[in-house]
Amino acid sequence: MLELHGLSKHFGGVRAVDDLSLTVNQGEIFGLIGPNGSGKSTTVNLVCGVFPTTSGAVLFEGQDITDAPSHRVVAAGITRTFQNIRLFGDLTVWQNLWVAQNSAEERSRGWFGRWLGGGQSGRGDADELLKFAGLEHRSGELARNLAFGEQRRLEMARALAARPKLLLLDEPAAGMNAEEVSQLADRIRALRRYGMTILLVEHVMELVMGVTDRIAVLNFGQKIAEGAPAEIREDPAVRTAYLGTADA
Amino acid sequence: MDFYFGMAQLIGVHTLLGLSAYVVLLTGQVSMAQAGFFAIGAYLAGMLTVLAGWHIIPAMLLAAVASALVATVVGFPALRVKGLMLVVATLAFGEAVRIFWFNFDYQIAKGNIQVGPLGGEGFKQIRYFPENGWSTADVALFIWAWVIAAMVALWWMDRSRVGSVLRAVGEDELAAQSVGINLTAVKVSAMGIGGFIAGLGGAIYAHYTTHIEHLNFGVVLATFAIAYPILGGLSSVIGVLIAVIFIQGFLVEVLRFMGDWRNLLFGALIVLAMNVRPDGLFDARAMRTLRRLFGTRDA
């Protein structure tokens, strides 16, 4: 579904992502792990068109989306969350979902209803997502007033508001306690049941090992291993590069 | 009585100017170009009624559309710069417009006098209102009809999805594009809408003062334009109106007895207001209190 072909991003002399190739299949949960600074977030940013690639190509459902502007990537069916939460703090919880309703289906609606319609126009979808994120009671609250865990959940709901086919989660468990991580794992599994494909970039090993089908390991921008969670756990190169040094 | 009508005219026109800056500021762009769009609207509308003999309303609308088009064109390069750089770039544009009118001559004979813009001398005898027998009260009502129409339109826009999208862009561009918002389209459209409203304001201004010159459209006017939404806050269009009344009605007029010293006080009060109420006189909390008082529900 998502194919990266020899993707590279160099910042001056730093090869943040170096000749990375991988394929995420339809309906799978694919984990992307690696030590700090190994190029995981850069990969997400390249796919989403945040900055231009140095070389290589990104294909989504066979369509070339290399260096496409972010809103085109969303229209193609890929949305993301951020490692450091980036909500619209001065908008209410449900307005955060409202502005994100940019799916192809939404775009085909009449211009008037889509842009100048009042608060009722996007309410149905938003309410459903709020229920999924356990935020239905916070709908009218300003996003900046939410607790940390709630903000993470809202950001995930916002990424779903554009009805993506592929969801990129950039360290969604960062800063969460064990209970929150297990709830997050349940949500990710629920999304897969709805047919969502997920690329999970993560540090928290219990989450990655628990929910993913396949994992790729990055180190210094290069892929050093790929396989099922059990294989990755036993891989000697991975152990030296990552598991051996990080407290998993 | 005429004094109060004159005051109402001035406040109305400046409210339009402030609203034009408000729309652009919602997307996080501090534009000092609004006085330039205002000038384009003023000169074009004046030329259409005086030189071409048009009715005031089509003249205003065409002038506003021209301002909107220029604003849209300015909007594209403005996308590439942010913050202070954008302030400098838009300021430079505004000054360029002023210098253009400083150098622009186009006069024709009407009866035994020459009419039309004449460079540094300005554009005199924009006498549509007196020639057609409009009283000061008529003009004030006419202006306020436009102001109310603009405020209602923007109020509606604010509560629609457009309002939330503009604010999302203003708050975090990276997040906004990541949820599928087309930044270019949104920021350029905001510039265009702002240009249209500023053009309307300028068109009215030219006709009620009857005499415009390039000096009317300098940095001072550009500063007023952006001061209104900053002081009034971005919660609602009402904030802009209140800021205009506060500055033009209270600071400029009520303190007139102080002579030129009032300018000093004016500066000091702005600094004070921005320190005491950094999100504007009417920030989100104040608006919510107001809504509660008037018993309307939150959106």
Side-chain angles (χ1 to χ4, degrees):
Chain A
M1 188 178 213
L2 178 74
E3 300 166 47
L4 309 185
H5 295 289
L7 197 64
S8 296
K9 178 65 188 180
H10 301 170
F11 293 107
V14 181
R15 297 171 169 224
V17 175
D18 195 12
D19 196 24
L20 174 65
S21 296
L22 55 84
T23 302
V24 179
N25 298 315
Q26 168 101 45
E28 86 180 332
I29 301 181
F30 192 96
L32 192 58
I33 63 173
N36 273 328
S38 58
K40 309 181 300 289
S41 288
T42 308
T43 307
V44 171
N45 285 334
L46 288 175
V47 171
C48 291
V50 173
F51 35 62
T53 54
T54 305
S55 62
V58 182
L59 266 63
F60 183 65
E61 295 185 314
Q63 187 189 349
D64 187 358
I65 57 163
T66 318
D67 294 337
S70 293
H71 66 273
R72 294 234 174 284
V73 175
V74 174
I78 304 178
T79 59
R80 67 172 297 181
T81 63
F82 292 89
Q83 191 176 337
N84 45 341
I85 308 168
R86 303 186 78 126
L87 291 170
F88 305 118
D90 286 335
L91 298 185
T92 64
V93 166
W94 97 267
Q95 281 173 333
N96 267 270
L97 302 182
W98 201 22
V99 300
Q101 291 172 351
N102 294 304
S103 61
E105 198 177 322
E106 281 292 328
R107 279 166 194 278
S108 66
R109 271 178 51 194
W111 186 90
F112 189 85
R114 175 170 159 68
W115 287 106
L116 294 177
Q120 299 311 312
S121 57
R123 208 99 204 201
D125 275 9
D127 284 349
E128 209 171 300
L129 282 172
L130 287 176
K131 212 167 285 170
F132 174 76
L135 291 169
E136 61 270 41
H137 57 296
R138 306 288 268 163
S139 172
E141 188 62 68
L142 289 184
R144 70 164 73 264
N145 296 338
L146 295 188
F148 178 80
E150 292 176 320
Q151 293 200 355
R152 281 248 179 255
R153 279 165 11 225
L154 176 57
E155 210 194 24
M156 190 156 158
R158 189 181 66 180
L160 294 170
R163 303 187 185 192
K165 297 169 199 157
L166 171 66
L167 181 62
L168 309 180
L169 297 173
D170 194 356
E171 303 205 11
M176 282 186 170
N177 61 35
E179 193 195 326
E180 287 170 326
V181 170
S182 103
Q183 287 173 354
L184 174 64
D186 290 342
R187 279 204 181 80
I188 293 175
R189 288 194 198 97
L191 285 177
R192 195 236 304 264
R193 280 199 297 279
Y194 293 130
M196 185 84 62
T197 310
I198 295 171
L199 177 66
L200 175 65
V201 172
E202 196 40 84
H203 261 308
V204 179
M205 294 311 288
E206 56 177 310
L207 178 64
V208 183
M209 293 299 170
V211 302
T212 56
D213 302 307
R214 281 193 306 137
I215 295 175
V217 187
L218 295 187
N219 198 20
F220 297 113
Q222 290 178 320
K223 185 167 77 177
I224 56 169
E226 186 175 341
E231 296 163 29
I232 294 298
R233 211 193 288 272
E234 302 308 323
D235 190 298
V238 176
R239 292 187 88 95
T240 7
Y242 185 59
L243 297 178
T245 53
D247 44 347
Chain B
M1 202 60 204
D2 268 4
F3 169 78
Y4 292 103
F5 283 126
M7 201 64 242
Q9 292 172 350
L10 181 76
I11 287 174
V13 165
H14 275 252
T15 301
L16 288 172
L17 184 64
L19 291 174
S20 84
Y22 172 85
V23 178
V24 179
L25 192 61
L26 279 183
T27 64
Q29 304 180 95
V30 175
S31 164
M32 293 288 280
Q34 303 311 114
F37 306 140
F38 188 83
I40 293 170
Y43 273 89
L44 286 184
M47 285 161 72
L48 285 170
T49 58
V50 174
L51 306 181
W54 283 31
H55 186 273
I56 179 107
I57 290 174
M60 281 174 62
L61 290 176
L62 185 68
V65 168
S67 292
L69 288 178
V70 174
T72 309
V73 173
V74 173
F76 280 99
L79 289 171
R80 309 188 62 90
V81 286
K82 276 181 204 155
L84 276 179
M85 293 301 149
L86 179 66
V87 172
V88 173
T90 49
L91 186 64
F93 168 81
E95 281 297 283
V97 171
R98 184 178 67 77
I99 301 294
F100 174 84
W101 295 116
F102 177 59
N103 286 290
F104 183 81
D105 296 334
Y106 183 82
Q107 290 208 306
I108 59 170
K110 200 173 172 190
N112 49 8
I113 55 163
Q114 293 281 317
V115 290
L118 183 65
E121 302 269 302
F123 184 175
K124 294 174 182 156
Q125 307 288 333
I126 307 173
R127 298 179 51 79
Y128 182 89
F129 289 141
E131 273 168 14
N132 289 281
W134 294 44
S135 70
T136 322
D138 293 338
V139 176
L141 281 176
F142 180 73
I143 293 176
W144 276 88
W146 287 96
V147 173
I148 287 166
M151 286 184 71
V152 168
L154 289 185
W155 175 272
W156 186 28
M157 184 203 80
D158 251 352
R159 298 177 67 98
S160 76
R161 188 163 169 274
V162 176
S164 293
V165 168
L166 292 175
R167 288 183 162 78
V169 170
E171 212 176 311
D172 188 335
E173 292 189 6
L174 177 58
Q177 65 184 29
S178 297
V179 300
I181 294 169
N182 183 342
L183 284 189
T184 306
V186 169
K187 289 170 94 174
V188 170
S189 308
M191 272 294 211
I193 297 171
F196 185 86
I197 299 172
L200 275 184
I204 298 176
Y205 173 75
H207 287 87
Y208 92 76
T209 58
T210 71
H211 171 198
I212 54 176
E213 58 177 320
H214 70 104
L215 288 172
N216 300 141
F217 309 104
V219 178
V220 174
L221 190 69
T223 311
F224 273 135
I226 197 70
Y228 298 138
I230 289 178
L231 201 63
L234 289 179
S235 302
S236 153
V237 289
I238 302 291
V240 172
L241 176 63
I242 290 168
V244 175
I245 293 174
F246 178 68
I247 292 179
Q248 294 298 336
F250 178 69
L251 291 187
V252 177
E253 286 303 324
V254 174
L255 303 180
R256 201 173 274 283
F257 69 90
M258 299 178 71
D260 286 342
W261 285 99
R262 75 180 191 278
N263 291 332
L264 191 69
L265 192 65
F266 171 67
L269 274 170
I270 295 252
V271 171
L272 181 71
M274 295 192 75
N275 271 286
V276 178
R277 301 199 72 89
D279 295 323
L281 294 177
F282 280 76
D283 54 11
R285 194 173 310 143
M287 284 313 290
R288 234 171 320 179
T289 313
L290 273 182
R291 283 207 191 100
R292 243 199 321 273
L293 285 175
F294 290 102
T296 48
R297 260 179 355 110
D298 258 315

